[in-house]
Amino acid sequence: MSLSKRVSGIKPSPTLEIDAKARALKSQGIDIIGFGIGEPDFNTPDNIKETAIKAIRDGFTKYTAVSGIDELKDAIIEKFKKDNDLNYDRSEIIVSCGAKHSLYNIAQAIFNPGDEILIPAPYWVSYPDQVILNDATPVIVKTGNDFLLTPEGLKEKITPKTRAIILNSPSNPTGMAYDKKSLESIAEIAVRHKIYIISDEIYEKIIYDGFEHISIASLGKEIKAITLVANGVSKAYSMTGWRIGYTAGPKEIISAMSNIQSQSTSNPASVSQKAAIEALRGPQDSVKKMVEEFDRRRKYMVKRLNRMEGVSCIMPRGAFYAFPNVSSFYGKNFDGKVIKDSYDMAGYLLEEAKVAIVPGDPFGADEYIRLSYATSMENIEKGLNRIEESLRKLRSTTHGPA
């Protein structure tokens, strides 16, 4: 049996793979602390759940318009106006089965064979694979010590084949985010070279220290005309399983995405759409409380990591991930096994510390590992204690094979 060429070039999501391994070990009765999965550990707010229950009882369980119901589109339009100072109409909005699906639909609609798509590293693991699945070529762009794309780094990678730039702010895995000045520089380059911006803003409400999220599409008519903004309700409202994402952009592209969706998934779940309306229009106090708790965990985790000898970790501006550099331990060995890279480090910590983390290599940064602080403070304290002890054991070993 032969598979398509595009499938042979991609790998399973490492975050989901790590989570599956952790779950399997837990099912065997092993006490595993999970820092792997990028999912809020809070329940979906009750007002959102009650809205969904009412939708079921009211019989709102049939097919809807492929691109989402008008009421949800209107709620999304209101959100963009209120939060981002962006004006869209219904023809410029499509609702999909999660933000990942939104991004895939964008790729389907605008990528062609031979196109080059610029992806700043570190990047979310799915970006390169989605590019490959749509017969385009991912071009990785290095960033500075702050993990942010610079105008110089961007200009170096632009060629006549460059079709789009993928921006993720705040970022998974680093938690870093772009300020207005940085976005203006990127926007100016994109407009000059007529390059699409794909702006993944799924973590926009999870920000700290008074940082202000700016959507690059809000910086003027010219940049808005070439920007596709992808967002959703999964992170801010702890609705990962509800699978509602949305895209705003030029109506010709949104129409094409709707046609694609009509032949692939059809509409997003009807009940989830009603729940998403309540999420966007209802009380927002649950978001504030969740972010306050994430902030407490963020400060504790980063402080603890930086106190560990041989570890350094930048303070994230948003999202719920810490991205420490652990490369000083590469070349160390334990029980005859050499720690060569982030995959080995992930395996070592799972085996020795009983802690699940995600290696940095699939994010384009092998010197690092990713830890999610979307788990209880108790788990964070216990997990970091285990990591610290396991790294102490590594530091006591010599370089090279045993």
Side-chain angles (χ1 to χ4, degrees):
M1 181 184 295
S2 60
L3 300 174
S4 67
K5 290 182 179 178
R6 68 175 66 88
V7 170
S8 63
I10 65 167
K11 301 174 183 176
S13 167
T15 52
L16 298 180
E17 197 172 11
I18 290 289
D19 186 58
K21 287 182 180 178
R23 289 176 187 273
L25 290 171
K26 285 181 180 179
S27 70
Q28 297 170 28
I30 301 172
D31 179 24
I32 300 293
I33 302 295
F35 291 148
I37 197 71
E39 178 176 53
D41 57 312
F42 302 90
N43 284 323
T44 303
D46 287 342
N47 61 305
I48 297 172
K49 292 189 283 189
E50 290 301 322
T51 299
I53 292 167
K54 183 177 185 303
I56 293 170
R57 288 178 174 154
D58 289 347
F60 193 76
T61 56
K62 307 296 184 181
Y63 292 130
T64 73
V66 166
S67 60
I69 58 176
D70 285 345
E71 188 182 3
L72 177 51
K73 288 186 180 183
D74 289 344
I76 292 166
I77 290 167
E78 293 163 12
K79 174 256 174 282
F80 274 118
K81 178 62 178 174
K82 178 177 58 131
D83 293 347
N84 311 110
D85 196 25
L86 280 166
N87 294 303
Y88 293 102
D89 61 38
R90 289 177 182 172
S91 67
E92 297 171 305
I93 303 290
I94 179 173
V95 185
S96 302
C97 306
K100 182 182 282 191
H101 186 214
S102 300
L103 291 163
Y104 189 81
N105 281 343
I106 293 170
Q108 284 262 295
I110 67 173
F111 296 172
N112 291 303
D115 285 346
E116 293 179 349
I117 313 303
L118 305 187
I119 305 174
Y123 44 76
W124 181 46
V125 295
S126 291
Y127 294 146
D129 285 327
Q130 288 199 351
V131 171
I132 292 167
L133 277 171
N134 286 281
D135 300 321
T137 302
V139 175
I140 307 306
V141 186
K142 290 184 179 180
T143 57
N145 293 332
D146 58 1
F147 299 129
L148 297 175
L149 179 65
T150 64
E152 295 74 25
L154 175 57
K155 285 187 274 192
E156 279 181 9
K157 293 292 186 178
I158 293 175
T159 75
K161 294 181 180 179
T162 304
R163 180 71 165 168
I165 306 163
I166 300 178
L167 286 183
N168 180 206
S169 180
S171 159
N172 174 6
T174 68
M176 297 309 290
Y178 292 89
D179 60 22
K180 186 177 182 180
K181 184 178 179 181
S182 299
L183 291 173
E184 286 173 339
S185 298
I186 295 169
E188 188 274 326
I189 295 169
V191 169
R192 188 186 339 137
H193 291 274
K194 297 180 173 62
I195 299 168
Y196 284 115
I197 297 283
I198 299 169
S199 185
D200 181 352
E201 302 180 15
I202 192 67
Y203 293 99
E204 71 162 324
K205 290 187 179 292
I206 305 174
I207 50 178
Y208 313 106
D209 301 327
F211 184 83
E212 181 185 7
H213 171 78
I214 303 289
S215 176
I216 193 170
S218 69
L219 298 179
K221 290 182 179 179
E222 289 183 305
I223 189 63
K224 183 188 175 192
I226 56 172
T227 298
L228 291 136
V229 181
N231 208 324
V233 298
S234 61
K235 310 298 183 180
Y237 302 98
S238 196
M239 294 175 67
T240 51
W242 298 75
R243 309 314 301 141
I244 293 291
Y246 54 85
T247 307
K251 64 181 179 181
E252 296 82 2
I253 297 176
I254 297 300
S255 176
M257 291 170 64
S258 181
N259 289 339
I260 291 164
Q261 192 160 293
S262 73
Q263 300 294 356
S264 54
T265 62
S266 296
N267 62 276
S270 57
V271 172
S272 295
Q273 290 187 66
K274 286 289 190 179
I277 294 167
E278 176 63 19
L280 295 173
R281 285 181 170 167
Q284 301 295 301
D285 54 312
S286 62
V287 179
K288 182 181 178 183
K289 289 177 182 177
M290 184 171 68
V291 172
E292 287 173 352
E293 177 59 21
F294 280 149
D295 188 24
R296 188 170 75 96
R297 299 172 186 177
R298 171 187 72 123
K299 290 172 180 173
Y300 177 82
M301 178 177 278
V302 174
K303 182 179 180 180
R304 282 288 309 276
L305 288 168
N306 281 319
R307 278 169 40 192
M308 297 179 192
E309 187 178 342
V311 178
S312 62
C313 185
I314 196 168
M315 182 65 77
R317 290 176 173 172
F320 38 72
Y321 307 107
F323 202 57
N325 187 317
V326 294
S327 60
S328 68
F329 296 94
Y330 297 173
K332 298 285 187 177
N333 71 80
F334 185 77
D335 286 347
K337 298 176 183 177
V338 179
I339 307 295
K340 301 183 295 297
D341 52 29
S342 59
Y343 281 103
D344 285 346
M345 178 59 78
Y348 170 74
L349 291 176
L350 187 60
E351 180 181 339
E352 177 65 23
K354 301 297 185 287
V355 173
I357 56 90
V358 185
D361 183 70
F363 299 104
D366 192 41
E367 300 90 349
Y368 298 81
I369 58 175
R370 193 193 78 174
L371 287 75
S372 168
Y373 46 88
T375 186
S376 70
M377 185 62 84
E378 180 185 359
N379 281 341
I380 290 171
E381 291 176 3
K382 191 187 333 182
L384 291 175
N385 288 342
R386 294 180 183 183
I387 289 174
E388 186 168 22
E389 177 59 29
S390 296
L391 294 181
R392 187 180 294 118
K393 290 180 181 178
L394 275 184
R395 281 201 310 274
S396 67
T397 66
T398 58
H399 287 271

